[in-house]
Amino acid sequence: MEVCTKSRQFAVFRIISIIFLLESIAWKVAESRFIRKEETINFSAISCRKHIALLTDFGGVGDGKTSNTKVFQSAITQLSKYASDGGAQLIVPAGKWLTGSFNLTSNFTLFIDKDAVLLASEDEAEWPALPALPSYGKGRDAPAGRFNSLISGTNLNDVVITGNNGTIDGQGAVWWDKFHKQKLNLTRPYLIETLYCHQVQISNLTLINSPSWNVHPTYSSNVLIMGLTILAPVDSPNTDGINPDSSSNVRIEDSYIISGDDCVAVKSGWDEYGIKVGLPTEHLVIRRLTCISPDSATIALGSEMSGGIQDVRAEDITAINTQSGVRIKTARGRGGYVKDIYVRRLTMSTMKYVFWMTGSYGSHPDPGFDPQALPKIANINYRDMIAENVTYSARLEGLKEDPFTGICVSNVKINLTQKPEELQWNCTDIAGVSSRVTPKPCALLPEKDIDCPFSEERLPIEDVQLKTCSVKY
């Protein structure tokens, strides 16, 4: 009897042990879902860094509720001491990292893990106030100035903002609501902005719900923007995708944008302020871009173009359900110029306009603009394009006292919607030529057997070679 009792006790003990072991295994399996094994990540960058740290090394908390603004700034400040010793890289690991605005440093990489989300704070106190940009004179939403961008840098050299498709969420709804209700005293922040920076890379990230513009390189040079996914509701105000502004030698490629405004907006200052600063955007390459923006342009040149826009090459672009293709926007008072523009191999579907230029885009920072400051629009070239389901082929409106000249359109086929507008080519105060274009262009673009030019001279930014960098965490 005693032996049987002991056997039963042993059997119960075995069963309990097995249950405990299974529970322990189950817990470890569940736990492993949240604890990443150390792995090596390879990525491409203009520079690799000698020193590497995680945001958690500086006390970061990725719960989506705790502010990490001071943590980011403290980490970057401490890592800046390695600028002259191989540079530093700050890794944002998996988690949700609530933060307000912070500033980068030179010889520095910010790497955002694929399972990390930077959550932009909805608290205005986490966004320092800045004066308006010199080439704008006033804020765009309010005259007093603007909020600093979420990720920003000024007077820096060799800066990389990248990841393996990590996410930056601007939580823009609260800002859009304030904008619509006119409750803003300063212009809304952007997600990423560089000012007076040289050698910049912004790549392999997902940007969503920006309060306003997403990426804004300004007064900068040698800028590489690639592999971005930019998403915003199509009715969100001023959520432009990428806005190169008074910057030179810029390459934008391999990106997908759904936006409430222009997918790419090329700028160089506003009226008398932009004329005074006089910094053009020039030597710009845009290629392999997909755009969806029902109320705006695939690529806009202007309207703030008072410092000038020159030598823009756009190719292999897809636009779907977008208001217009490449749009030139300017006005009396802008001054400046848009010239030497080359566009080829655009594929468009469900468009209001294929071609749109206007000289009457009349928003101004203040009444002090000079109405005699007329923009010069010249040498605009479009070729090898196809468009489906189009309402208007073209709306081309120059200025009577300053016509848009040197417009060339060749090898373009436009298929119209079932209910197209009767007047397909509405042209005033322009001059140029066309070749093999359907529907037939207006009389101001007479037929000539030519192929519009596309600049084949390579720009220095096209020859920038990326390095393969590795990080283990």
Short mmCIF file of all heavy atoms in Angstrom, two decimals, residues 386-411:
data_model
loop_
_atom_site.label_atom_id
_atom_site.label_comp_id
_atom_site.label_asym_id
_atom_site.label_seq_id
_atom_site.Cartn_x
_atom_site.Cartn_y
_atom_site.Cartn_z
N ILE A 386 3.28 59.15 -71.50
CA ILE A 386 1.97 58.59 -71.81
C ILE A 386 1.05 58.83 -70.63
O ILE A 386 1.47 58.73 -69.47
CB ILE A 386 2.06 57.09 -72.18
CG1 ILE A 386 0.70 56.58 -72.66
CG2 ILE A 386 2.59 56.26 -71.00
CD1 ILE A 386 0.77 55.23 -73.33
N ALA A 387 -0.20 59.16 -70.94
CA ALA A 387 -1.16 59.46 -69.88
C ALA A 387 -2.52 58.87 -70.25
O ALA A 387 -2.94 58.92 -71.41
CB ALA A 387 -1.27 60.96 -69.68
N GLU A 388 -3.19 58.32 -69.26
CA GLU A 388 -4.50 57.71 -69.44
C GLU A 388 -5.53 58.41 -68.57
O GLU A 388 -5.22 58.92 -67.50
CB GLU A 388 -4.46 56.22 -69.06
CG GLU A 388 -3.43 55.38 -69.80
CD GLU A 388 -3.87 55.06 -71.22
OE1 GLU A 388 -5.08 55.24 -71.54
OE2 GLU A 388 -3.01 54.64 -72.01
N ASN A 389 -6.78 58.43 -69.08
CA ASN A 389 -7.90 58.94 -68.29
C ASN A 389 -7.66 60.39 -67.84
O ASN A 389 -7.70 60.72 -66.66
CB ASN A 389 -8.14 58.03 -67.07
CG ASN A 389 -9.52 58.23 -66.46
OD1 ASN A 389 -10.46 58.60 -67.15
ND2 ASN A 389 -9.62 58.01 -65.15
N VAL A 390 -7.44 61.24 -68.81
CA VAL A 390 -7.07 62.64 -68.58
C VAL A 390 -8.25 63.57 -68.89
O VAL A 390 -8.93 63.39 -69.91
CB VAL A 390 -5.85 63.02 -69.45
CG1 VAL A 390 -5.56 64.51 -69.38
CG2 VAL A 390 -4.65 62.21 -69.01
N THR A 391 -8.46 64.56 -68.06
CA THR A 391 -9.53 65.54 -68.28
C THR A 391 -9.07 66.69 -69.19
O THR A 391 -9.74 67.02 -70.16
CB THR A 391 -10.03 66.11 -66.94
OG1 THR A 391 -10.43 65.03 -66.09
CG2 THR A 391 -11.21 67.05 -67.15
N TYR A 392 -7.93 67.31 -68.87
CA TYR A 392 -7.34 68.37 -69.70
C TYR A 392 -5.94 67.95 -70.10
O TYR A 392 -5.16 67.52 -69.26
CB TYR A 392 -7.19 69.68 -68.92
CG TYR A 392 -8.42 70.36 -68.42
CD1 TYR A 392 -8.95 70.03 -67.18
CD2 TYR A 392 -9.03 71.38 -69.15
CE1 TYR A 392 -10.07 70.68 -66.68
CE2 TYR A 392 -10.15 72.04 -68.66
CZ TYR A 392 -10.67 71.68 -67.43
OH TYR A 392 -11.77 72.33 -66.94
N SER A 393 -5.58 68.16 -71.36
CA SER A 393 -4.20 67.89 -71.75
C SER A 393 -3.25 68.93 -71.17
O SER A 393 -2.20 68.58 -70.63
CB SER A 393 -4.07 67.86 -73.28
OG SER A 393 -4.80 66.79 -73.81
N ALA A 394 -3.63 70.19 -71.29
CA ALA A 394 -2.68 71.23 -70.85
C ALA A 394 -3.40 72.54 -70.53
O ALA A 394 -4.36 72.92 -71.20
CB ALA A 394 -1.63 71.47 -71.91
N ARG A 395 -2.86 73.22 -69.54
CA ARG A 395 -3.25 74.59 -69.21
C ARG A 395 -1.95 75.37 -69.02
O ARG A 395 -1.26 75.20 -68.01
CB ARG A 395 -4.09 74.60 -67.93
CG ARG A 395 -4.53 75.97 -67.48
CD ARG A 395 -5.41 75.85 -66.24
NE ARG A 395 -5.72 77.13 -65.66
CZ ARG A 395 -6.45 77.29 -64.55
NH1 ARG A 395 -6.91 76.22 -63.91
NH2 ARG A 395 -6.70 78.49 -64.08
N LEU A 396 -1.62 76.17 -69.99
CA LEU A 396 -0.33 76.86 -70.02
C LEU A 396 -0.58 78.36 -70.08
O LEU A 396 -0.98 78.90 -71.13
CB LEU A 396 0.49 76.40 -71.24
CG LEU A 396 0.63 74.87 -71.40
CD1 LEU A 396 1.40 74.55 -72.68
CD2 LEU A 396 1.30 74.25 -70.20
N GLU A 397 -0.35 79.03 -68.96
CA GLU A 397 -0.71 80.45 -68.84
C GLU A 397 0.51 81.24 -68.39
O GLU A 397 0.88 81.25 -67.21
CB GLU A 397 -1.83 80.63 -67.80
CG GLU A 397 -3.08 79.81 -68.09
CD GLU A 397 -4.02 79.75 -66.91
OE1 GLU A 397 -3.53 79.64 -65.76
OE2 GLU A 397 -5.24 79.82 -67.12
N GLY A 398 1.18 81.91 -69.36
CA GLY A 398 2.28 82.77 -69.02
C GLY A 398 1.80 84.15 -68.60
O GLY A 398 0.62 84.36 -68.30
N LEU A 399 2.72 85.10 -68.57
CA LEU A 399 2.39 86.49 -68.25
C LEU A 399 2.45 87.32 -69.53
O LEU A 399 3.40 87.19 -70.32
CB LEU A 399 3.37 87.04 -67.21
CG LEU A 399 3.28 86.40 -65.82
CD1 LEU A 399 4.49 86.78 -64.98
CD2 LEU A 399 1.99 86.82 -65.13
N LYS A 400 1.47 88.19 -69.71
CA LYS A 400 1.40 88.96 -70.95
C LYS A 400 2.66 89.76 -71.18
O LYS A 400 3.19 89.81 -72.30
CB LYS A 400 0.17 89.87 -70.91
CG LYS A 400 -0.06 90.64 -72.20
CD LYS A 400 -1.34 91.43 -72.14
CE LYS A 400 -1.58 92.16 -73.47
NZ LYS A 400 -2.85 92.94 -73.45
N GLU A 401 3.17 90.40 -70.13
CA GLU A 401 4.36 91.22 -70.26
C GLU A 401 5.64 90.40 -70.14
O GLU A 401 6.75 90.94 -70.25
CB GLU A 401 4.36 92.35 -69.22
CG GLU A 401 4.38 91.89 -67.77
CD GLU A 401 3.01 91.60 -67.18
OE1 GLU A 401 2.18 90.94 -67.85
OE2 GLU A 401 2.77 92.02 -66.04
N ASP A 402 5.50 89.10 -69.91
CA ASP A 402 6.68 88.24 -69.70
C ASP A 402 6.32 86.80 -70.06
O ASP A 402 6.19 85.94 -69.19
CB ASP A 402 7.13 88.34 -68.25
CG ASP A 402 8.42 87.59 -67.98
OD1 ASP A 402 9.18 87.37 -68.94
OD2 ASP A 402 8.67 87.22 -66.82
N PRO A 403 6.15 86.49 -71.36
CA PRO A 403 5.72 85.16 -71.76
C PRO A 403 6.70 84.07 -71.34
O PRO A 403 7.90 84.31 -71.20
CB PRO A 403 5.64 85.26 -73.30
CG PRO A 403 5.51 86.72 -73.57
CD PRO A 403 6.30 87.41 -72.49
N PHE A 404 6.17 82.86 -71.16
CA PHE A 404 7.00 81.69 -70.91
C PHE A 404 7.50 81.18 -72.26
O PHE A 404 6.70 80.95 -73.18
CB PHE A 404 6.21 80.59 -70.22
CG PHE A 404 5.66 80.96 -68.86
CD1 PHE A 404 4.79 80.09 -68.20
CD2 PHE A 404 5.98 82.15 -68.24
CE1 PHE A 404 4.28 80.41 -66.94
CE2 PHE A 404 5.47 82.49 -66.98
CZ PHE A 404 4.60 81.62 -66.34
N THR A 405 8.81 80.99 -72.40
CA THR A 405 9.37 80.69 -73.71
C THR A 405 10.18 79.39 -73.69
O THR A 405 10.54 78.88 -72.63
CB THR A 405 10.27 81.84 -74.19
OG1 THR A 405 11.36 82.00 -73.26
CG2 THR A 405 9.50 83.14 -74.29
N GLY A 406 10.47 78.90 -74.88
CA GLY A 406 11.32 77.72 -75.01
C GLY A 406 10.68 76.45 -74.51
O GLY A 406 11.36 75.55 -74.03
N ILE A 407 9.36 76.35 -74.64
CA ILE A 407 8.65 75.15 -74.20
C ILE A 407 8.68 74.12 -75.34
O ILE A 407 8.36 74.42 -76.48
CB ILE A 407 7.19 75.48 -73.84
CG1 ILE A 407 7.16 76.48 -72.68
CG2 ILE A 407 6.42 74.22 -73.47
CD1 ILE A 407 5.79 77.08 -72.43
N CYS A 408 9.09 72.92 -75.02
CA CYS A 408 9.20 71.85 -76.01
C CYS A 408 8.49 70.60 -75.48
O CYS A 408 8.75 70.16 -74.35
CB CYS A 408 10.67 71.55 -76.29
SG CYS A 408 10.94 70.29 -77.56
N VAL A 409 7.61 70.02 -76.31
CA VAL A 409 6.87 68.81 -75.95
C VAL A 409 6.97 67.84 -77.12
O VAL A 409 6.57 68.17 -78.24
CB VAL A 409 5.38 69.12 -75.66
CG1 VAL A 409 4.68 67.86 -75.17
CG2 VAL A 409 5.24 70.25 -74.64
N SER A 410 7.51 66.64 -76.87
CA SER A 410 7.64 65.68 -77.97
C SER A 410 7.32 64.26 -77.51
O SER A 410 7.56 63.89 -76.35
CB SER A 410 9.06 65.73 -78.55
OG SER A 410 10.02 65.19 -77.66
N ASN A 411 6.77 63.49 -78.44
CA ASN A 411 6.47 62.07 -78.24
C ASN A 411 5.62 61.85 -76.99
O ASN A 411 6.02 61.16 -76.04
CB ASN A 411 7.77 61.25 -78.16
CG ASN A 411 7.49 59.76 -78.23
OD1 ASN A 411 6.53 59.33 -78.86
ND2 ASN A 411 8.33 58.96 -77.58
#
